[in-house]
């Protein structure tokens, strides 16, 4: 029996925002950081296994010891620490009634909770994937207070419940690992571009562009000059919405490689 595996490569998706359509406030740099506490119990049927049953609150205890830390970066490892608190302030310009404000985390492990000016705006388990939350109703022009809690112990009833035990052995890795930014966007904007590349019979890119109003549209682009991606020659190509044939003004781009694998047997 012959079988084929078509392996589309979307090796890296990048966001390139035009100043006319989006305004970005980079939140990299100095933050305040404190280790937090947890509440644990014995897991049913698991001798000595620990699970968090109460998520720590924001802000942390009044006696928390705050340190300066540069983000993105690696935070100090403290054994048995399962909660990390981060805080900082940031300035926002006037957005206008037709704008939304998103807080974007390029990579955070594992469970994340976010407050802006005392109002909770996000609670999720992105497991290291890029994630964003809508802070529009909590922010104000001028100075804003941002608080972030990262937990190493996942919700035992959440989407990653099968991975709860894994987090204990890699507790030093959790936290904010990559960039953080605030984005002021028009209410109608691109939320995602999902791309699939094909090599045979000729290089071709199919992209599904999703918008904030819940709609999406598919675009196809012939790429006759595309060279294959390999570990030794990692050829990558960047395509803007305009390159894909999309005339929407949001300057959102993707970076892709072309490769297919097949086998017989």
């Amino acid at each position: 029996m012959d079988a084929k595996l078509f392996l589309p490569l979307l090796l890296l998706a990048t966001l390139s925002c035009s100043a006319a359509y989006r305004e970005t406030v980079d939140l990299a740099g100095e933050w305040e950081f404190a280790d937090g506490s947890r509440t644990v119990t014995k897991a049913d049927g698991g001798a000595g296994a620990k699970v968090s049953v109460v998520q720590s609150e924001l802000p942390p205890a009044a006696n928390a010891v705050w340190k300066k830390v540069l983000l993105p970066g690696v935070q100090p490892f403290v054994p048995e620490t399962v909660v990390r608190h981060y805080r900082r302030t940031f300035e926002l310009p006037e957005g206008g009634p037709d704008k939304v404000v998103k807080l974007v985390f390029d990579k955070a492990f594992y469970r994340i909770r976010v407050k802006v000016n005392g109002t909770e705006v996000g609670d999720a388990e992105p497991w290291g994937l890029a994630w964003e939350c809508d802070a529009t109703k909590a922010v104000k022009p001028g100075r804003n207070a941002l608080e972030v809690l990262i937990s190493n112990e996942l919700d035992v009833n959440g989407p990653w419940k099968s991975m709860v035990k894994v987090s204990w052995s890699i507790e030093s890795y959790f936290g904010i690992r990559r960039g953080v930014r605030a984005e002021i966007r028009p209410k109608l904007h691109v939320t995602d571009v999902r791309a699939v590349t094909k090599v045979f019979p000729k290089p071709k890119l199919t992209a599904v562009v999703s918008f904030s109003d819940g709609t999406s549209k598919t675009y196809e682009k012939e790429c006759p000059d595309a060279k294959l991606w390999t570990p030794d020659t990692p050829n990558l190509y960047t395509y803007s919405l305009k390159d894909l044939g999309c005339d929407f003004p949001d300057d959102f781009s993707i970076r892709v490689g072309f490769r297919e694998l097949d086998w017989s047997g």
Side-chain angles (χ1 to χ4, degrees):
M1 178 181 69
D2 290 338
K4 280 194 174 183
L5 167 67
F6 295 107
L7 178 62
L9 291 184
L10 178 53
L11 298 180
L12 178 64
T14 60
L15 174 63
S16 175
C17 303
S18 65
Y21 205 81
R22 301 184 183 213
E23 189 168 356
T24 299
V25 178
D26 190 359
L27 299 181
E30 188 175 87
W31 290 57
E32 289 187 300
F33 163 79
D35 291 317
S37 60
R38 62 177 172 178
T39 299
V40 299
T41 63
K42 298 273 185 165
D44 292 340
K50 297 179 180 179
V51 296
S52 179
V53 293
V54 177
Q55 182 70 19
S56 293
E57 294 301 315
L58 284 170
N63 63 350
V65 178
W66 291 95
K67 308 169 187 176
K68 302 294 186 182
V69 64
L70 292 178
L71 295 180
V74 179
Q75 289 75 62
F77 169 55
V78 179
E80 294 300 316
T81 297
V82 296
V83 176
R84 286 176 168 169
H85 298 272
Y86 304 82
R87 69 184 183 187
R88 64 161 293 162
T89 59
F90 64 99
E91 300 283 336
L92 275 185
E94 184 72 49
D98 61 336
K99 305 285 187 179
V100 294
V101 178
K102 302 285 187 175
L103 291 174
V104 183
F105 294 79
D106 288 331
K107 192 170 194 175
F109 282 94
Y110 298 92
R111 183 175 183 180
I112 180 171
R113 293 178 62 199
V114 182
K115 278 189 177 182
V116 176
N117 299 324
T119 299
E120 187 155 343
V121 297
D123 184 346
E125 294 179 3
W127 193 262
L129 301 176
W131 174 79
E132 65 181 41
C133 58
D134 190 341
T136 306
K137 294 182 179 180
V139 297
K140 59 186 179 182
R143 177 162 293 191
N144 292 267
L146 173 61
E147 301 169 84
V148 180
L149 180 147
I150 305 289
S151 173
N152 188 38
E153 293 187 320
L154 307 179
D155 183 352
V156 294
N157 296 312
W160 299 99
K161 60 185 179 182
S162 63
M163 299 294 289
V164 168
K165 293 183 180 180
V166 176
S167 67
W168 306 328
S169 62
I170 49 179
E171 60 186 8
S172 63
Y173 193 74
F174 80 104
I176 298 175
R177 306 294 298 187
R178 292 186 182 172
V180 184
R181 62 188 178 275
E183 287 187 2
I184 303 174
R185 310 172 185 169
K187 287 184 178 179
L188 182 60
H189 56 271
V190 172
T191 57
D192 195 17
V193 178
R194 295 291 178 180
V196 175
T197 60
K198 293 195 70 174
V199 174
F200 303 106
K202 53 187 176 181
K204 179 181 177 181
L205 171 65
T206 301
V208 179
V209 181
S210 299
F211 300 92
S212 56
D213 63 357
T215 63
S216 63
K217 191 171 181 179
T218 301
Y219 299 87
E220 294 187 346
K221 178 179 175 60
E222 302 289 343
C223 307
D225 299 324
K227 297 180 180 180
L228 291 180
W229 179 94
T230 72
D232 294 325
T233 57
N235 298 301
L236 297 173
Y237 299 89
T238 300
Y239 299 102
S240 66
L241 293 180
K242 185 177 180 180
D243 294 331
L244 298 174
C246 176
D247 59 4
F248 192 75
D250 204 345
D251 188 13
F252 199 111
S253 63
I254 56 173
R255 196 178 185 200
V256 299
F258 290 81
R259 186 72 184 183
E260 285 186 20
L261 301 179
D262 65 85
W263 75 89
S264 298

